[in-house]
Amino acid sequence: MNEAKGLPPAQRRGMADEVADRVRDAIYAGVYAPGAPLREVELATALRVSRGPVREALLRLEREGLVSSEWHRGTTVTTLTAEDVDELYSLREALEELAVQRLIRHATDAQLRAVRTAADRMDGTADKHTTVQQDLGFHDAVFAAANHRRLDEAWRAIRSQVHLFLLIRLGVSDDEYARHVATEHRELADVLIARDKERALRLFADHRRHAAALVAVQVSPDSPRQTPNRTP
């Protein structure tokens, strides 16, 4: 008996993938700010697709934590709360500490060169959104060099929300971020390449703590609320 006969036909998902990529890139580029609405009809018209792929793409982005959907508000770009920031910080801390420890024990020379290359790309001259992407690219290289598939998958699961976190940091002090980000990451690369575990853990902790402190102030209930907007 051919049990496979009972399976439903496979469906092509390429269009939804492309829509998700386009919307995700637009959020990362600041086209849609935290809290901005994402309306199916408008997105379908702009992207020249039917509403089906848009709906599927938004569900995918919701699973990433990049958008949120409520029946009375529709779908909006996720706005991180103080609780979100605290949870992201603590989870990233746990994941990154393990990544650093494993990298120092298991990384190949080629993987360490990839970490160095990722740090060297951050020269402080790129536009701020490219700088955020380069920042995340460095941390991608660190997790890849840990040689732990499930750890890398755990990082990928929160990566989109960490991107939102860094966009908030840009809104707090984009000049300070651009001025120091390249130097900070070169220092991180140096200690990893030297396989200096104690110093690496300390520098990575300081790196996370400084960013979290800036963002925590911005999302505090006592701070002025960000006004959701949409840039055409």
Side-chain angles (χ1 to χ4, degrees), residues 113-186:
R113 285 196 297 271
V115 170
R116 164 61 68 198
T117 298
D120 289 344
R121 289 196 188 103
M122 304 176 67
D123 59 6
T125 63
D127 70 85
K128 59 186 182 181
H129 292 290
T130 299
T131 299
V132 168
Q133 293 173 2
Q134 292 171 341
D135 188 333
L136 287 165
F138 172 84
H139 293 279
D140 289 342
V142 170
F143 277 94
N147 292 300
H148 190 305
R149 179 173 59 82
R150 287 179 173 82
L151 176 60
D152 190 59
E153 289 173 352
W155 161 247
R156 298 285 172 178
I158 66 168
R159 189 182 189 278
S160 292
Q161 294 177 69
V162 173
H163 200 136
L164 288 180
F165 175 99
L166 292 177
L167 290 177
I168 294 173
R169 180 180 176 179
L170 274 180
V172 177
S173 56
D174 56 348
D175 291 339
E176 184 270 348
Y177 177 70
R179 189 165 55 249
H180 296 292
V181 68
T183 301
E184 283 185 12
H185 285 83
R186 281 195 293 269

